[in-house]
Amino acid sequence: MSVHIGRRIDDVLEELSSAKDTTILAGGTDLLVEINFGRIRPAHIVAIDRVDELKDFSRNGHVRMGALVTYTRMVEDESGSVALQEAARPIGSPQIRNVATIGGNLGTCSPAGDSLPVLAALEATVVLRSKKGERRVPFAQFMTGPKKSVRRPDELIVAAEWDEAGPAQTFMKVGTRNAMVIAVAGLALVVDRARRRVGVGLGSCGPTIIRATEAERFAAGLLEEAGWDRPGRPSDAAAKEFGRLAAGAAKPIDDVRGTAAYRRHVLAVMGARAIARVAVIS
């Protein structure tokens, strides 16, 4: 195994374009697990944790989060998304949050990645760069399957971007404990009152992150009826129906963490709680 330590984006892109079978190492929280269990044996690694350009974060109505922004920074600093902060807080231990990154979650592209339902609900864009140039991929088109994406071998994830959506948003997940656990199911809800848009992202309940479009339309109808600028708690029946529609979008399977039926049940419960929580936030 050979290791190249990148210090600039151009340096990393040169390695990706010239060396075959190159594995990118950022925080290593996913990669080292795969290596330790013998699932992969990288021939060539490019370490990018010293590329300061990838640590930039800016927000001015529009958020640009560099690929190396860690979950600790998301929790302790403004992350540009309330739901993203909520998703970051229970990820791993403090030691893991200190090195795990948004770009790593995107690169691993697991349906159980906690930040990914939030990016789906925010309608984020993934920024990819290679020596051929830069391209911007809507998150909805980025994931193609479990741990698969449209990123080419010569491309580097450099950032995620989205429009600020205001404070009416949340993230919930169910697992065997509160933190340091892979989600049985996760749900992100974003109500962008200024743009009159609702986003619902579901995690760990299908081969990719799923948008619950019927639930989104139902919630938008409730908000339109009540007034987008007038926060108010929905009825118990309306909240329950929103949860039912959210759960109906899932494509779960039975596995060691939970059954498909259980996943649908908890998504329905989380959905009802999420809309009741978010609808009262102005």
Side-chain angles (χ1 to χ4, degrees):
M1 179 193 299
S2 63
V3 177
H4 177 82
I5 298 176
R7 300 184 185 277
R8 295 180 299 107
I9 290 179
D10 290 344
D11 178 31
V12 173
L13 297 182
E14 182 65 35
E15 284 292 314
L16 293 178
S17 66
S18 60
K20 293 183 179 180
D21 300 323
T22 298
T23 300
I24 298 171
L25 171 64
T29 56
D30 290 319
L31 177 61
L32 291 179
V33 171
E34 297 292 296
I35 292 174
N36 287 340
F37 278 93
R39 295 170 185 155
I40 60 173
R41 285 289 181 264
H44 183 60
I45 288 178
V46 176
I48 64 171
D49 60 306
R50 303 183 195 186
V51 181
D52 289 339
E53 299 160 86
L54 298 176
K55 300 175 183 179
D56 289 342
F57 171 75
S58 63
R59 58 179 298 191
N60 183 19
H62 184 76
V63 178
R64 180 180 172 94
M65 180 172 285
L68 288 183
V69 171
T70 65
Y71 290 104
T72 293
R73 282 183 66 187
M74 294 180 213
V75 172
E76 294 181 352
D77 303 333
E78 289 289 336
S79 67
S81 165
V82 173
L84 191 57
Q85 282 187 308
E86 292 178 354
R89 192 169 291 114
I91 288 177
S93 63
Q95 293 90 340
I96 289 175
R97 290 193 296 274
N98 284 342
V99 294
T101 63
I102 189 75
N105 225 192
L106 284 165
T108 300
C109 226
S110 167
D114 287 342
S115 71
L116 304 186
V118 180
L119 295 180
L122 288 168
E123 295 188 343
T125 297
V126 183
V127 184
L128 302 163
R129 192 180 301 173
S130 71
K131 289 191 69 176
K132 299 174 184 176
E134 187 171 279
R135 64 177 179 136
R136 304 164 60 80
V137 180
F139 182 82
Q141 300 171 18
F142 181 71
M143 291 185 70
T144 58
K147 298 189 176 182
K148 295 180 180 179
S149 73
V150 298
R151 185 185 74 84
R152 301 191 306 261
D154 67 331
E155 286 183 313
L156 177 68
I157 298 168
V158 296
E161 297 183 352
W162 61 89
D163 292 324
E164 290 196 62
Q169 49 183 288
T170 192
F171 171 81
M172 299 180 178
K173 80 172 184 178
V174 167
T176 54
R177 53 187 178 184
N178 289 333
M180 296 179 67
V181 65
I182 299 174
V184 173
L187 181 147
L189 170 61
V190 173
V191 173
D192 187 337
R193 295 187 182 277
R195 296 178 180 83
R196 300 192 173 191
R197 186 188 72 80
V198 177
V200 181
L202 309 179
S204 209
C205 59
T208 64
I209 302 301
I210 296 171
R211 286 286 294 276
T213 54
E214 289 191 28
E216 291 173 350
R217 285 193 289 269
F218 179 78
L222 292 177
L223 292 161
E224 187 70 36
E225 183 178 348
W228 283 90
D229 57 349
R230 296 172 62 187
R233 184 181 176 88
S235 68
D236 290 344
K240 186 175 180 180
E241 177 63 8
F242 175 82
R244 185 188 71 80
L245 292 171
K251 301 175 183 178
I253 60 171
D254 298 335
D255 64 15
V256 296
R257 298 198 305 279
T259 65
Y262 179 66
R263 284 185 163 93
R264 289 193 181 94
H265 170 71
V266 298
L267 283 169
V269 173
M270 287 192 296
R273 291 178 180 177
I275 191 66
R277 175 187 297 179
V278 166
V280 298
I281 301 173
S282 60

